[in-house]
Amino acid sequence: MADISENAPARLPDRLSVENALAALPPGADEAALAAALTKRFPGFSFSATSIDDVYWRDVRSVLAPDGSRVAELRPWMTEALAKCGGDVKALWTRLRDSDLQISEWHGNSAFAFAPTGPGAADYVQISLGREVEWRAGAIVDPTSPPWSEDDLLDPAWIKHGEMADENMLAGPLYRLLGRASSGVVHVRSFLARCARIERDKREARRAEMQRRVLVSSDGRETPFLELQPNWFDFVPREVRFFQDWEESSARTQRVYEHWALDINDYEHHGQREIGFITRPLRRPAATLAADNSSVHILMDRIEAIDREVGLPFGWFFLMTHGNWVEPEVGAIIADGLREARVRLPDHDATVLLRWADQRYGF
C-alpha cells in the first residue's frame, strides 16, 4: 500500500455543499438525521455518523444585552471599548462590572461522518464535524477580580465551564464543519497518497545532504549515513502503514471507520507542508493493558479479551499503535514469543506484528 494511488471518486462531497446540508438541519439533530441529510444531499454516497465524547471550547464569544440579544463579537467590541477608555483596563472593568452585559461561548463535541467509496481499507470519505451549543457564560467581566491586562478582558479565563445549565443554552446543538479546506472533507485513499508523496519529496530534496553525511564512531572511524540507513529514502509514513497493516491483518474483515476516526492535519508551517493524522478510537476497552512483567501467555489471553470487547479481530494491535490503551511493550513481548515459537497468531497477523516490532510506529 506504500505505492497507493489516489483513485478518488469522480465527484467528492465539496465543503460548501456539506455546509449547506448542515445549515438545513434543525437544532438538536442527532447522528441518524445527520447521516440521512448527507446521504440525500450526495447521491451515490451512503453516510453513517458518530460522535466522540470529548469537549472543546471555541474562542469565538459574543457580547449579550440584558435581554439576551447579541450586541457584537466580544473581541472587536472589547478592543474598541478599551480604546475609548484610553487603554485603561481597570477603568473599563469598573464600567463593565456595573453593567448588565454578559458573554456567550460555544462548546462542542467532535463528530464524524463516513461514506464508503470502494472495498479497500482506505476507500472512504471522512467529514470532520463539531456538534456545538452556544450558552450564556456569565457576566462580561469577572466581578470579583480586576484584570491585569487587555488579554484578561479578551480571553475570560475565569469562566467556569462546568456550570452549564439548560436554561443558559442559547443555540444548538448544531453541526459545524471543522478543519481547513483540505482536511474537513477528505477522501482517505487520496489523502494517504498525498502523505506518501510529500514524505518522498521531502526526503528526495535532502538526497545530496544525506549522501554527504557521515557518522563518526568513538574510535574515529567514519561511516556514510546511508550505509547504516540504506532504506532512508524508502520510509513509509505511519499513516500509510496503519492502513497497510489493516488490509494485511484480520482486521480487514471490517471497515476502519467503524472503529477509528482520523484527526487530520494538512497545513503549511514555516514553508513546509505538514500532513498527517492522529487516530481516535471509537470503541475503547474498559481498561488499558500494560506489560507489568506479565508472561507472554497471560498477555495473549488479555489481547484476545480486548479483541472481543471492541468487536474487532487484531483490534488490540491498532489500539497499541494509538498508544493510550495497549502499551507498546505488550506488542514487543508477543513478537518475541512468536520468534521463539512460544505463542501463535494467524500468519498474516504475525507478519504485521513482526514488521511493526522491527520498525515501530505509533500515534
Side-chain angles (χ1 to χ4, degrees), residues 139-161:
I140 193 167
V141 294
D142 184 350
T144 64
S145 178
W148 289 98
S149 68
E150 179 181 357
D151 288 341
D152 293 336
L153 292 171
L154 298 177
D155 187 15
W158 51 270
I159 293 173
K160 295 179 173 59
H161 291 141

Short mmCIF file of all heavy atoms in Angstrom, two decimals, residues 139-161:
data_model
loop_
_atom_site.label_atom_id
_atom_site.label_comp_id
_atom_site.label_asym_id
_atom_site.label_seq_id
_atom_site.Cartn_x
_atom_site.Cartn_y
_atom_site.Cartn_z
N ALA A 139 -21.30 37.05 33.36
CA ALA A 139 -21.08 38.49 33.22
C ALA A 139 -19.90 38.76 32.28
O ALA A 139 -19.01 37.92 32.12
CB ALA A 139 -20.82 39.12 34.58
N ILE A 140 -19.89 39.94 31.68
CA ILE A 140 -18.89 40.25 30.67
C ILE A 140 -17.49 40.35 31.26
O ILE A 140 -16.49 40.17 30.56
CB ILE A 140 -19.28 41.53 29.91
CG1 ILE A 140 -18.42 41.69 28.66
CG2 ILE A 140 -19.18 42.75 30.82
CD1 ILE A 140 -18.92 42.74 27.71
N VAL A 141 -17.39 40.65 32.53
CA VAL A 141 -16.09 40.64 33.23
C VAL A 141 -16.26 39.91 34.56
O VAL A 141 -17.38 39.77 35.06
CB VAL A 141 -15.56 42.07 33.48
CG1 VAL A 141 -15.21 42.77 32.19
CG2 VAL A 141 -16.54 42.88 34.31
N ASP A 142 -15.15 39.48 35.12
CA ASP A 142 -15.16 38.85 36.43
C ASP A 142 -15.46 39.94 37.47
O ASP A 142 -14.63 40.84 37.69
CB ASP A 142 -13.80 38.21 36.70
CG ASP A 142 -13.77 37.45 38.02
OD1 ASP A 142 -14.73 37.59 38.80
OD2 ASP A 142 -12.78 36.73 38.26
N PRO A 143 -16.61 39.88 38.13
CA PRO A 143 -16.96 40.98 39.05
C PRO A 143 -16.12 41.01 40.32
O PRO A 143 -16.13 42.00 41.04
CB PRO A 143 -18.43 40.70 39.37
CG PRO A 143 -18.59 39.23 39.17
CD PRO A 143 -17.67 38.87 38.04
N THR A 144 -15.38 39.94 40.59
CA THR A 144 -14.62 39.86 41.85
C THR A 144 -13.14 40.12 41.69
O THR A 144 -12.43 40.27 42.68
CB THR A 144 -14.80 38.46 42.47
OG1 THR A 144 -14.23 37.47 41.59
CG2 THR A 144 -16.27 38.14 42.69
N SER A 145 -12.66 40.20 40.46
CA SER A 145 -11.22 40.33 40.26
C SER A 145 -10.92 41.22 39.06
O SER A 145 -11.26 40.87 37.92
CB SER A 145 -10.58 38.95 40.04
OG SER A 145 -9.19 39.06 39.81
N PRO A 146 -10.28 42.37 39.27
CA PRO A 146 -9.95 43.25 38.13
C PRO A 146 -8.89 42.63 37.25
O PRO A 146 -8.03 41.86 37.72
CB PRO A 146 -9.43 44.53 38.81
CG PRO A 146 -8.96 44.09 40.15
CD PRO A 146 -9.85 42.95 40.56
N PRO A 147 -8.92 42.93 35.95
CA PRO A 147 -7.94 42.34 35.01
C PRO A 147 -6.57 43.00 35.17
O PRO A 147 -6.45 44.15 35.58
CB PRO A 147 -8.55 42.65 33.65
CG PRO A 147 -9.33 43.92 33.88
CD PRO A 147 -9.87 43.82 35.27
N TRP A 148 -5.55 42.25 34.81
CA TRP A 148 -4.18 42.77 34.82
C TRP A 148 -3.78 43.34 33.47
O TRP A 148 -2.87 44.16 33.39
CB TRP A 148 -3.21 41.66 35.21
CG TRP A 148 -3.31 41.27 36.64
CD1 TRP A 148 -3.99 40.21 37.17
CD2 TRP A 148 -2.73 41.95 37.77
NE1 TRP A 148 -3.88 40.17 38.53
CE2 TRP A 148 -3.10 41.24 38.93
CE3 TRP A 148 -1.95 43.10 37.91
CZ2 TRP A 148 -2.70 41.63 40.20
CZ3 TRP A 148 -1.55 43.47 39.18
CH2 TRP A 148 -1.93 42.76 40.31
N SER A 149 -4.45 42.85 32.42
CA SER A 149 -4.04 43.27 31.08
C SER A 149 -5.22 43.18 30.13
O SER A 149 -6.30 42.66 30.48
CB SER A 149 -2.90 42.39 30.56
OG SER A 149 -3.38 41.07 30.34
N GLU A 150 -5.01 43.65 28.92
CA GLU A 150 -6.03 43.55 27.87
C GLU A 150 -6.41 42.11 27.60
O GLU A 150 -7.57 41.79 27.35
CB GLU A 150 -5.52 44.23 26.60
CG GLU A 150 -6.48 44.18 25.43
CD GLU A 150 -5.92 44.83 24.18
OE1 GLU A 150 -4.79 45.38 24.25
OE2 GLU A 150 -6.61 44.81 23.14
N ASP A 151 -5.40 41.21 27.67
CA ASP A 151 -5.68 39.80 27.39
C ASP A 151 -6.72 39.23 28.35
O ASP A 151 -7.50 38.36 27.98
CB ASP A 151 -4.39 38.99 27.49
CG ASP A 151 -3.45 39.26 26.32
OD1 ASP A 151 -3.93 39.77 25.29
OD2 ASP A 151 -2.24 38.97 26.45
N ASP A 152 -6.72 39.70 29.61
CA ASP A 152 -7.70 39.20 30.57
C ASP A 152 -9.12 39.60 30.20
O ASP A 152 -10.08 38.90 30.54
CB ASP A 152 -7.38 39.75 31.97
CG ASP A 152 -6.07 39.19 32.52
OD1 ASP A 152 -5.67 38.10 32.08
OD2 ASP A 152 -5.45 39.85 33.37
N LEU A 153 -9.26 40.72 29.49
CA LEU A 153 -10.58 41.13 29.02
C LEU A 153 -11.00 40.37 27.78
O LEU A 153 -12.17 40.03 27.60
CB LEU A 153 -10.58 42.63 28.72
CG LEU A 153 -10.43 43.58 29.92
CD1 LEU A 153 -10.22 45.01 29.42
CD2 LEU A 153 -11.65 43.49 30.83
N LEU A 154 -10.04 40.12 26.90
CA LEU A 154 -10.34 39.47 25.61
C LEU A 154 -10.49 37.96 25.75
O LEU A 154 -11.19 37.33 24.94
CB LEU A 154 -9.23 39.78 24.61
CG LEU A 154 -9.03 41.26 24.26
CD1 LEU A 154 -7.86 41.44 23.32
CD2 LEU A 154 -10.30 41.85 23.65
N ASP A 155 -9.84 37.38 26.73
CA ASP A 155 -9.89 35.93 26.93
C ASP A 155 -10.30 35.63 28.36
O ASP A 155 -9.46 35.44 29.23
CB ASP A 155 -8.52 35.32 26.63
CG ASP A 155 -8.55 33.81 26.66
OD1 ASP A 155 -9.66 33.24 26.63
OD2 ASP A 155 -7.47 33.19 26.73
N PRO A 156 -11.59 35.61 28.63
CA PRO A 156 -12.09 35.48 30.01
C PRO A 156 -11.86 34.09 30.59
O PRO A 156 -12.76 33.23 30.57
CB PRO A 156 -13.58 35.81 29.88
CG PRO A 156 -13.93 35.46 28.47
CD PRO A 156 -12.69 35.75 27.66
N ALA A 157 -10.69 33.86 31.12
CA ALA A 157 -10.34 32.54 31.63
C ALA A 157 -11.06 32.21 32.93
O ALA A 157 -11.01 31.06 33.39
CB ALA A 157 -8.82 32.47 31.85
N TRP A 158 -11.73 33.17 33.54
CA TRP A 158 -12.42 32.95 34.80
C TRP A 158 -13.74 32.19 34.65
O TRP A 158 -14.34 31.75 35.63
CB TRP A 158 -12.70 34.30 35.48
CG TRP A 158 -13.36 35.30 34.57
CD1 TRP A 158 -12.74 36.20 33.75
CD2 TRP A 158 -14.76 35.47 34.37
NE1 TRP A 158 -13.66 36.93 33.05
CE2 TRP A 158 -14.92 36.51 33.41
CE3 TRP A 158 -15.88 34.87 34.90
CZ2 TRP A 158 -16.16 36.93 32.97
CZ3 TRP A 158 -17.13 35.30 34.47
CH2 TRP A 158 -17.26 36.31 33.52
N ILE A 159 -14.20 32.02 33.42
CA ILE A 159 -15.47 31.33 33.20
C ILE A 159 -15.36 29.88 33.64
O ILE A 159 -14.39 29.19 33.32
CB ILE A 159 -15.87 31.40 31.72
CG1 ILE A 159 -16.20 32.84 31.33
CG2 ILE A 159 -17.06 30.49 31.43
CD1 ILE A 159 -16.45 33.03 29.86
N LYS A 160 -16.34 29.40 34.38
CA LYS A 160 -16.37 28.01 34.88
C LYS A 160 -17.19 27.18 33.90
O LYS A 160 -18.43 27.21 33.91
CB LYS A 160 -16.94 27.96 36.29
CG LYS A 160 -16.07 28.68 37.32
CD LYS A 160 -16.69 28.62 38.70
CE LYS A 160 -15.74 29.20 39.74
NZ LYS A 160 -15.38 30.60 39.46
N HIS A 161 -16.50 26.40 33.09
CA HIS A 161 -17.18 25.64 32.04
C HIS A 161 -18.03 24.51 32.57
O HIS A 161 -18.88 23.98 31.86
CB HIS A 161 -16.14 25.10 31.06
CG HIS A 161 -15.47 26.16 30.25
ND1 HIS A 161 -14.14 26.14 29.94
CD2 HIS A 161 -15.96 27.31 29.70
CE1 HIS A 161 -13.83 27.22 29.22
NE2 HIS A 161 -14.91 27.93 29.07
#
